């Protein structure tokens, strides 16, 4: 979850599959993340087997609301508290992959998980967020702003806080891992038949979404699942050896789509890494020299005033014109 304290050095993370998949690649974990827009079985089929759901939601303090599930104070698996601002995305990933048995991972990650074995959630969270290499991996696609407004005496505005949590199976039950909670939350056992843990998790997530106003867009859902490329490549090789042209053609289409998705992720991540300050400075200088900067400023002020008026009509919080 985000906050005003940036002293920890952890930057905000975008809820984007390319960002999470790049983080997992850095950690040496053979999993990827994809956006989910529906939870029905047909929509989830292309991502199976799914290891976990990563749920992003707008955090609202509501102490009177009854909590779904039960705290498991004797949880035997991996669970870490969030002890610094902005680290919840990586904490969610760690709480997920730390509970997947036999998952391959890079040596640094394996050493970190081994080092925290036996620690309580608070100490484990402190150990994780004190890891320089993990913080650097987290920040790789969330560079700090090159422009600071500190010291200008500008009024502070309160921004909505968003938070990442995880839903996944562990020892026959569906668990919720929220780094801001004291313990993992058990949502009960699930049937091994049919969709298995997915059906139970769907009910829990849909019930949580139902607590928001109709049509609210204050959350997103990601699926953490196996990278399908190695399996698809192997299946293609087998289909080609058996001269099964129809299956081979279908597999090639899927592989092409997966590669195109990764190319798009790589392009978007390159944009996230780029520093645009020089470009913006050059553009403003060119506009000033050509005499178009003042008009652009006035046009921007006009647009902002229109947005403020619309916001006030909707009963929203006031916005600052400057």
């Amino acid at each position: 979850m985000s906050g005003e304290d940036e002293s920890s050095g952890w930057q905000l993370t975008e809820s984007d599959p390319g960002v999470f998949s790049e983080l997992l690649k850095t950690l040496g974990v053979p999993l990827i993340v994809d956006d989910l827009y529906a939870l029905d079985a047909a929509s989830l089929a292309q991502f199976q087997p799914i290891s976990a759901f990563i749920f992003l939601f707008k955090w609202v303090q509501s102490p009177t609301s009854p909590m779904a599930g039960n705290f498991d104070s004797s949880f035997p698996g991996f669970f870490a508290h969030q002890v610094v601002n902005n680290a919840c995305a990586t904490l969610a990933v760690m709480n997920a992959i730390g509970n997947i048995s036999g998952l391959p991972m890079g040596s640094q990650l394996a050493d970190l998980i081994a080092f925290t074995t036996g620690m309580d959630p608070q100490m484990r969270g402190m150990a994780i967020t004190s890891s320089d290499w993990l913080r650097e991996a987290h920040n790789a696609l969330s560079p700090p702003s090159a422009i600071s407004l500190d010291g200008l005496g500008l009024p502070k505005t309160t921004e909505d806080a968003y938070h990442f949590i995880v839903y996944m199976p562990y020892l026959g039950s569906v668990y919720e891992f929220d780094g801001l909670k004291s313990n993992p939350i058990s949502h009960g056992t699930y049937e091994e038949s049919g969709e298995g843990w997915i059906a139970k998790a769907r009910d829990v997530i849909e019930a949580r979404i139902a607590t928001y106003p109709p049509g609210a867009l204050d959350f997103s859902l990601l699926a953490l699942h196996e990278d399908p490329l190695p399996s698809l490549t192997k299946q293609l090789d087998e289909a080609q050896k058996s001269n099964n042209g129809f299956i081979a053609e279908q597999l090639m289409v899927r592989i092409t789509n997966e590669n195109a998705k990764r190319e798009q992720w790589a392009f978007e991540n390159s944009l996230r890494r780029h520093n645009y300050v020089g470009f913006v400075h050059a553009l403003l200088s060119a506009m000033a020299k050509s005499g178009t900067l003042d008009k652009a400023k006035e046009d921007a002020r006009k647009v902002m005033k229109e947005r403020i008026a619309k916001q006030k009509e909707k009963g929203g919080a006031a916005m600052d014109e400057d």
Side-chain angles (χ1 to χ4, degrees):
M1 188 170 64
S2 65
E4 291 182 359
D5 180 14
E6 302 297 334
S7 61
S8 67
W10 291 74
Q11 305 297 323
L12 285 173
T13 300
E14 185 178 348
S15 179
D16 182 86
V19 171
F20 277 87
S21 296
E22 182 70 16
L23 174 62
L24 290 164
K25 182 180 179 180
T26 303
L27 299 180
V29 175
L31 300 175
I32 65 170
V33 171
D34 272 292
D35 276 319
L36 291 177
Y37 301 102
L39 277 169
D40 60 281
S43 299
L44 299 179
Q46 61 180 312
F47 305 120
Q48 297 288 3
I50 297 174
S51 298
F53 293 122
I54 301 175
F55 186 62
L56 173 71
F57 63 97
K58 186 168 75 172
W59 187 84
V60 179
Q61 189 173 6
S62 53
T64 58
S65 299
M67 185 189 78
N70 299 290
F71 284 121
D72 185 351
S73 59
S74 60
F75 179 71
F78 183 99
F79 179 63
H81 284 167
Q82 180 184 337
V83 297
V84 299
N85 289 329
N86 300 338
C88 61
T90 292
L91 257 295
V93 170
M94 292 292 292
N95 281 332
I97 62 181
N99 289 296
I100 302 176
S101 178
L103 179 67
M105 61 185 65
S107 59
Q108 286 182 300
L109 177 60
D111 291 344
L112 179 59
I113 290 180
F115 175 73
T116 63
T117 299
M119 293 183 179
D120 60 46
Q122 185 74 3
M123 286 298 297
R124 179 175 276 144
M126 293 178 66
I128 288 173
T129 51
S130 296
S131 173
D132 292 337
W133 71 267
L134 185 59
R135 184 177 64 251
E136 290 171 3
H138 170 100
N139 290 345
L141 296 173
S142 303
S145 174
I147 300 176
S148 176
L149 301 179
D150 292 341
L152 298 181
L154 298 177
K156 289 184 176 294
T157 57
T158 301
E159 296 183 356
D160 291 332
Y162 286 82
H163 185 52
F164 290 98
I165 61 174
V166 169
Y167 294 97
M168 68 180 296
Y170 189 84
L171 295 180
S173 295
V174 169
Y175 276 89
E176 174 185 332
F177 299 119
D178 182 342
L180 297 179
K181 299 291 178 64
S182 59
N183 294 289
I185 299 172
S186 173
H187 289 282
T189 58
Y190 57 88
E191 297 290 337
E192 294 287 351
S193 59
E195 292 184 86
W197 76 275
I198 298 291
K200 182 75 173 182
R202 178 190 296 116
D203 292 341
V204 174
I205 295 171
E206 289 181 342
R208 183 160 196 160
I209 292 175
T211 63
Y212 287 78
L217 299 175
D218 295 325
F219 39 78
S220 66
L221 189 62
L222 302 167
L224 178 68
H225 63 100
E226 292 182 9
D227 185 346
L229 270 180
S231 176
L232 291 173
T233 302
K234 182 179 179 181
Q235 293 176 50
L236 176 60
D237 183 59
E238 293 172 352
Q240 290 174 334
K241 288 181 179 178
S242 62
N243 293 320
N244 192 332
F246 177 73
I247 297 297
E249 184 177 352
Q250 289 184 317
L251 291 168
M252 289 179 67
V253 170
R254 292 186 60 187
I255 291 173
T256 298
N257 291 338
E258 285 293 329
N259 284 327
K261 180 170 64 179
R262 284 158 175 75
E263 290 175 2
Q264 182 65 25
W265 287 349
F267 172 72
E268 292 172 352
N269 287 340
S270 68
L271 295 179
R272 293 184 177 95
R273 291 188 179 98
H274 189 71
N275 188 335
Y276 291 93
V277 174
F279 167 75
V280 172
H281 179 267
L283 177 62
L284 293 176
S285 297
M287 292 177 67
K289 291 178 180 179
S290 65
T292 59
L293 182 58
D294 289 339
K295 183 179 184 303
K297 287 169 57 178
E298 290 304 316
D299 290 344
R301 287 181 181 276
K302 181 180 178 181
V303 171
M304 178 58 71
K305 288 180 179 179
E306 291 175 352
R307 289 180 179 177
I308 293 172
K310 290 180 180 179
Q311 188 75 10
K312 289 180 178 179
E313 289 177 2
K314 295 178 180 179
M319 299 170 61
D320 295 323
E321 291 188 30
D322 296 331

